[in-house]
Amino acid sequence: MFLHYLKVAWRNIWNDKFYSLINLIGLTVAFTVVFLFLQWIRYELSFENSYPNADRIYQVQEVEKRSDGIQKSMYMRPNMSYELKEKYPIIEEAVFFTSFSNTSIVLNEQPYMYNMSDATPNFLKVFPMECIAGTTANVGKNKVAAFISEEFAKKVYGEPQKAIGMSFKYFLEQRQFDGVLRVPKNSMIQFDVLFLTDAIYDRGVHYILLNNNAHFTEQQQRIMADFLVENYDSQNKLVFKPLKSIHLQTDNRTTRIETKGTYYGSLKEINIFSLVAILILLLAVINYVNTSTARAMSRAREVGVRKISGSNKKQLIIRFLTEAFILSLIAVLLAIDIAKVMHHPFETAMNNTFNFQIDGSVIALAITICLITSVLAGSYAAFYLSSLNPVNVLSGNIGKSTSKNTFRKILLGLQFAIAIGILCCTWMVYRQLNFMLNKDLGFNKENVYVFDTNLMYQSEDFINELQKSPYVINASMASGAPYNVGWAYSGVRWEGAPQGTQEISFAELTCDHRFDDVFDLEMVQGSFLPPGLTWFQNVKKESFNIVINETFQKLLGMENPIGLTITYGGKYERSGKVIGVVKDFYFRPMNNEISPLIMAYNPEYTVFMYIKIDPNHEKEALEHIHSTYKKLSSNIYLLSSRPFVLTPLEKEYREMYKSETRLQKILGIFSFISIVLSFMGIVSMVAFIIEKRTKEIGIRKINGAKWLNIVQEFWKEFLLLAGIAAVPAVLASYWFMHGWLQEYVYRPAFGWWIFMLVPLFIAAVTAVILLFQVKDIAKQNPVKSLKSE
């Protein structure tokens, strides 16, 4: 019996090729989107699952209440986690971990940039990683145990096993790797080289592992939160962040670990993409339901004949659901194959790498989607048509109620609403991204390249050689780019400072005297940092002088702050006079407000060289920079140990907004898919209506109607429906995007006109589709139209 149902269902699908193809394409596209995003969402939710005790691991964070808001930091003083362990028996292990990005090392006689990490010897007890070569037995026995990641070992040595026994320099000491570790990609703990040692002096991140079966109650956390107050004379509190929540729930006001290979996800992004993927699936299902309801009259006669022939309601329901299931199953199978092919481009669009897995959960989801789609898409034909009286059906008494169904119009209106809503959101995201990438930032980043040299005191020789070429305009050393100043601290003070200013976070950018010229900074008062400043053992008092931005000047409340002494520097406190005021520029991403900025001289932090070239002789300039590097690298160790990597600053700037770029790309694809699916539904619906109203069109023409009058009748029905659907779509997308844009301090005008143009665009395209579909039949000889039925 079941095989009979399959045969009949397949015959019906094959006989209705046009409508079946539209439904199949729509479902396949929607299922492909669902399967691709399922893989990405699973990857995002899987972070830290590779550690067996992940549920018992917490990251310790320091919370500081400032006048400009609450600031959380992962970075704290060494040994604190050990002190926590000694004081609170609930803690089984405590680990201290710190990372240094873009460090240089010579391995296998070649220079490499790598991510170096230091951790306490019990690191592998809390974060167990598979050792695929060498051994972990020396941890705790040797003063320093050295490990290399599998990925970095392959890059350097070709095969991970070859890394064992290879020597390298570590703080002028000759060392060898003890083992090769397989570092999970879905973890925030990332490194190329790891040193396990007790001799760690830099600030870093603390993790605690609770005792097995320990209950980390709110009361216990409140007690431990006062650890800094009780032991370090600090007003700051501690919070304990579950390891598994760090990846998706770390906000921008938290000082985060930023190392190569580490990135933070977004729970909001997961929710957005999940919602839009569901809407795409809903569009495809609506297409199917609309087609089945539109063709109800044709199938109603079939139902009447089958009922007279002896078929009961149950048999008819199974028959129609089987037909929907077959089409859904074909779409699911095609979607899985297409998703495999599209996996790599999808990874590129999402800016991360994850495996495409067809396992039990994916198969279960595929079957579930198939069954749900079958029920939703086939329910009308199955349950409504099977309940009809065969006498009424064969006499044609249900024709009008079926052909002009309110339910069908609601579904078509829902399609319009989804397409309009997604397109509005996409346009708004694009405007914000375009605003951030093209806004005048207060400095000029064009034709500037960045070179990570770490030269510090020896930078002058390199820059002097560079300037021998007429195609190199200028070069400067700095701690970072002018659009992403990372270093900040509170506690800055001056005579007459208002109460509460010491709690404010002040950003600091260290640079040399050429920085303002390279980036075309505008001085409002005074002058920029002068040349000839000294440091280290022969430091001059003038070397501590600073340049501030306009926001700092407003905080001072002084028209002329030149000569005012400012005490700054955080842990390494120093005092210097204000010698200039620079015009405000956007020195952080645009979801941050411009804050007080200090620009100072400190060669020990100026590791990046920014080189401005003549754009008309780019090739010659880049060749000169490379030849200068090769010439000096043999004499300067810091150059010889670093690979030559020159990056356009514009590219680096765009990389800062990769999350927004990804959102814009994916929503753009979703918009295109939603519009195509919606218009496919319109095409199939209009084709069916024309088929059923051919006789009516002929009678209208006989009575004097012009072809344009007939087209207008179709326009009136569909465009009115689109207009009604636009109202809730515009309201919902307006509310959603208004909330999303609040994350950005700097944004363009809201752009209310977008919410008018998008519905008009959808209406215009719909009108064109209707025109092309209806025009031929409307121009047809009415005698031929009347013969068609």
Side-chain angles (χ1 to χ4, degrees):
M1 179 63 74
F2 182 68
L3 289 176
H4 173 69
Y5 287 146
L6 289 177
K7 281 184 181 179
V8 174
W10 177 253
R11 189 185 306 135
N12 287 326
I13 292 172
W14 188 255
N15 290 337
D16 262 343
K17 296 183 184 69
F18 174 73
Y19 299 100
S20 298
L21 183 62
I22 285 180
N23 290 330
L24 182 62
I25 291 173
L27 290 175
T28 302
V29 169
F31 291 158
T32 301
V33 169
V34 169
F35 286 132
L36 286 172
F37 273 94
L38 171 67
Q39 300 293 334
W40 176 71
I41 291 170
R42 285 177 61 184
Y43 174 73
E44 291 290 306
L45 296 177
S46 72
F47 265 67
E48 318 307 344
N49 284 346
S50 54
Y51 306 121
N53 297 321
D55 292 330
R56 294 193 285 135
I57 301 174
Y58 290 79
Q59 185 187 78
V60 185
Q61 296 182 2
E62 183 175 358
V63 179
E64 181 182 2
K65 287 187 179 180
R66 299 176 177 174
S67 56
D68 59 343
I70 294 177
Q71 186 77 27
K72 295 180 181 178
S73 177
M74 297 179 178
Y75 293 96
M76 285 172 280
R77 59 187 65 82
N79 299 322
M80 198 189 69
S81 53
Y82 280 163
E83 294 171 12
L84 283 169
K85 180 186 174 184
E86 290 176 3
K87 186 167 184 177
Y88 303 107
I90 196 173
I91 300 175
E92 179 181 320
E93 290 287 352
V95 169
F96 183 64
F97 179 87
T98 186
S99 293
F100 306 93
S101 295
N102 296 320
T103 308
S104 62
I105 191 172
V106 177
L107 296 175
N108 208 20
E109 299 181 355
Q110 292 293 325
Y112 290 93
M113 300 299 292
Y114 76 115
N115 169 28
M116 184 187 83
S117 296
D118 288 341
T120 46
N122 59 345
F123 172 82
L124 293 176
K125 292 181 180 178
V126 179
F127 299 100
M129 297 179 182
E130 182 183 357
C131 185
I132 62 172
T135 179
T136 60
N138 295 329
V139 177
K141 296 178 182 179
N142 295 342
K143 184 179 178 181
V144 178
F147 297 91
I148 186 172
S149 71
E150 178 186 18
E151 186 176 351
F152 194 53
K154 286 180 179 178
K155 179 180 178 179
V156 176
Y157 301 106
E159 297 178 12
Q161 291 76 11
K162 291 183 179 179
I164 305 303
M166 289 290 186
S167 62
F168 61 95
K169 279 187 178 181
Y170 175 67
F171 288 110
L172 303 179
E173 291 184 10
Q174 207 70 18
R175 300 205 54 83
Q176 292 182 339
F177 289 115
D178 293 276
V180 179
L181 298 178
R182 179 164 290 161
V183 183
K185 288 184 179 180
N186 56 342
S187 172
M188 65 173 298
I189 304 292
Q190 296 292 321
F191 55 82
D192 294 324
V193 176
L194 172 69
F195 298 105
L196 299 184
T197 175
D198 281 318
I200 305 176
Y201 306 104
D202 293 284
R203 293 166 66 88
V205 186
H206 295 273
Y207 297 94
I208 58 172
L209 173 67
L210 301 185
N211 289 317
N212 202 9
N213 300 321
H215 299 288
F216 204 23
T217 62
E218 290 185 11
Q219 182 181 2
Q220 179 69 47
Q221 292 186 53
R222 282 197 298 270
I223 293 171
M224 295 169 61
D226 290 327
F227 177 81
L228 295 177
V229 178
E230 296 171 358
N231 296 273
Y232 287 95
D233 191 26
S234 170
Q235 297 303 310
N236 297 345
K237 300 280 188 177
L238 294 182
V239 293
F240 303 91
K241 189 88 170 175
L243 181 68
K244 286 189 174 182
S245 69
I246 295 172
H247 174 66
L248 294 176
Q249 299 177 28
T250 300
D251 57 32
N252 289 324
R253 287 196 64 84
T254 303
T255 305
R256 312 190 294 187
I257 298 175
E258 300 292 353
T259 60
K260 186 177 67 175
T262 301
Y263 83 100
Y264 290 86
S266 168
L267 195 58
K268 184 177 287 187
E269 267 193 1
I270 289 179
N271 292 335
I272 291 172
F273 290 149
S274 299
L275 175 62
V276 180
I278 291 171
L279 290 177
I280 295 293
L281 181 60
L282 184 59
L283 281 174
V285 172
I286 288 173
N287 270 355
Y288 199 149
V289 175
N290 256 344
T291 304
S292 64
T293 56
R295 298 192 63 76
M297 188 60 193
S298 302
R299 304 304 298 272
R301 294 181 183 277
E302 175 192 338
V303 168
V305 173
R306 289 187 180 279
K307 276 198 167 185
I308 290 175
S309 302
S311 294
N312 57 39
K313 185 175 180 179
K314 180 181 177 182
Q315 290 173 325
L316 291 170
I317 289 173
I318 294 174
R319 188 184 303 278
F320 285 116
L321 289 179
T322 302
E323 185 177 322
F325 178 79
I326 290 176
L327 202 64
S328 300
L329 182 62
I330 295 172
V332 164
L333 296 175
L334 287 173
I336 291 176
D337 286 335
I338 295 173
K340 287 180 181 177
V341 174
M342 295 298 297
H343 176 64
H344 181 65
F346 181 70
E347 281 183 323
T348 303
M350 298 306 289
N351 289 322
N352 51 30
T353 304
F354 47 92
N355 295 327
F356 188 90
Q357 298 176 339
I358 301 297
D359 53 17
S361 60
V362 174
I363 294 172
L365 178 70
I367 294 172
T368 303
I369 290 176
C370 193
L371 291 173
I372 292 175
T373 305
S374 302
V375 171
L376 290 175
S379 58
Y380 179 85
F383 293 99
Y384 176 70
L385 294 181
S386 62
S387 65
L388 295 176
N389 187 314
V391 177
N392 291 335
V393 171
L394 295 176
S395 63
N397 289 337
I398 67 163
K400 290 185 179 180
S401 62
T402 305
S403 62
K404 295 184 179 180
N405 197 297
T406 303
F407 177 63
R408 187 186 74 223
K409 291 183 178 180
I410 292 173
L411 292 180
L412 195 58
L414 185 58
Q415 279 188 310
F416 276 122
I418 292 172
I420 290 170
I422 294 177
L423 189 55
C424 284
C425 292
T426 302
W427 201 337
M428 292 297 290
V429 171
Y430 172 79
R431 285 187 79 238
Q432 178 62 31
L433 181 62
N434 186 63
F435 175 81
M436 293 187 296
L437 294 179
N438 298 296
K439 182 173 175 55
D440 181 6
L441 300 173
F443 60 87
N444 184 6
K445 63 182 184 300
E446 294 181 2
N447 309 314
V448 178
Y449 283 76
V450 56
F451 178 28
D452 184 357
T453 65
N454 203 29
L455 279 177
M456 297 186 284
Y457 297 107
Q458 297 169 301
S459 61
E460 285 294 321
D461 293 338
F462 194 93
I463 293 175
N464 289 335
E465 284 292 325
L466 288 178
Q467 291 182 327
K468 290 180 179 179
S469 168
Y471 309 128
V472 174
I473 298 173
N474 208 341
S476 173
M477 291 293 293
S479 58
Y483 51 76
N484 194 14
V485 178
W487 192 260
Y489 40 72
S490 57
V492 177
R493 62 188 188 275
W494 61 91
E495 185 178 352
Q499 188 175 1
T501 53
Q502 289 197 37
E503 298 176 1
I504 296 175
S505 177
F506 290 78
E508 182 183 12
L509 173 64
T510 60
C511 58
D512 64 16
H513 63 280
R514 304 179 186 88
F515 192 82
D516 63 326
D517 185 59
V518 169
F519 291 103
D520 296 333
L521 299 181
E522 183 180 340
M523 296 302 297
V524 178
Q525 284 181 291
S527 58
F528 198 69
L529 300 174
L533 298 179
T534 59
W535 202 254
F536 199 48
Q537 295 179 350
N538 190 30
V539 63
K540 296 178 182 178
K541 188 177 180 180
E542 292 78 13
S543 299
F544 296 138
N545 290 344
I546 62 174
V547 173
I548 63 174
N549 65 346
E550 290 178 300
T551 299
F552 198 156
Q553 183 184 11
K554 291 174 186 176
L555 183 64
L556 293 172
M558 302 174 63
E559 290 187 10
N560 184 11
I562 306 300
L564 179 68
T565 298
I566 304 288
T567 300
Y568 67 101
K571 182 179 178 181
Y572 304 101
E573 192 174 83
R574 51 194 179 270
S575 296
K577 291 182 180 180
V578 176
I579 61 172
V581 179
V582 67
K583 186 176 181 180
D584 274 343
F585 59 91
Y586 295 90
F587 60 84
R588 280 189 180 146
M590 293 199 180
N591 51 358
N592 296 276
E593 191 172 4
I594 294 178
S595 62
L597 173 68
I598 295 171
M599 302 183 73
Y601 177 74
N602 186 340
E604 293 185 2
Y605 288 122
T606 55
V607 296
F608 298 100
M609 182 174 290
Y610 297 94
I611 309 171
K612 192 169 189 174
I613 66 169
D614 182 350
N616 298 318
H617 298 87
E618 183 179 11
K619 182 181 178 182
E620 295 90 337
L622 297 181
E623 287 177 351
H624 175 69
I625 296 169
H626 192 196
S627 63
T628 302
Y629 161 79
K630 291 175 69 176
K631 175 183 175 182
L632 297 181
S633 61
S634 58
N635 300 323
I636 302 176
Y637 172 74
L638 286 172
L639 285 179
S640 64
S641 63
R642 303 176 88 81
F644 181 78
V645 180
L646 202 61
T647 307
L649 207 61
E650 184 68 38
K651 178 182 178 182
E652 196 178 79
Y653 178 74
R654 289 178 176 271
E655 183 71 13
M656 188 170 64
Y657 293 113
K658 62 182 179 182
S659 177
E660 288 82 2
T661 303
R662 174 172 68 182
L663 182 62
Q664 184 260 328
K665 280 182 183 177
I666 299 302
L667 283 181
I669 295 170
F670 277 163
S671 295
F672 177 76
I673 292 173
S674 65
I675 291 171
V676 170
L677 289 178
S678 298
F679 290 148
M680 282 172 60
I682 293 171
V683 168
S684 63
M685 189 62 58
V686 173
F688 175 76
I689 292 174
I690 290 173
E691 181 184 329
K692 291 303 176 185
R693 295 172 64 180
T694 302
K695 187 175 181 179
E696 176 192 332
I697 292 171
I699 294 173
R700 284 177 181 273
K701 291 203 70 176
I702 289 174
N703 289 329
K706 304 295 183 182
W707 71 270
L708 189 56
N709 299 130
I710 296 169
V711 172
Q712 286 175 343
E713 285 295 315
F714 280 84
W715 277 348
K716 188 187 299 181
E717 180 178 348
F718 281 86
L719 296 183
L720 178 62
L721 191 61
I724 295 171
V727 175
V730 165
L731 291 175
S733 56
Y734 181 94
W735 171 81
F736 180 80
M737 292 313 300
H738 185 269
W740 181 76
L741 285 170
Q742 298 310 304
E743 295 182 4
Y744 299 92
V745 177
Y746 304 101
R747 50 187 182 269
F750 192 72
W752 56 268
W753 48 270
I754 289 175
F755 300 93
M756 293 181 61
L757 284 183
V758 169
L760 289 176
F761 167 74
I762 296 293
V765 177
T766 302
V768 171
I769 291 174
L770 290 171
L771 176 64
F772 279 98
Q773 278 192 274
V774 179
K775 183 180 67 173
D776 290 340
I777 192 68
K779 286 185 174 182
Q780 187 175 280
N781 190 316
V783 176
K784 188 176 180 181
S785 299
L786 294 172
K787 282 183 178 181
S788 67
E789 295 190 14

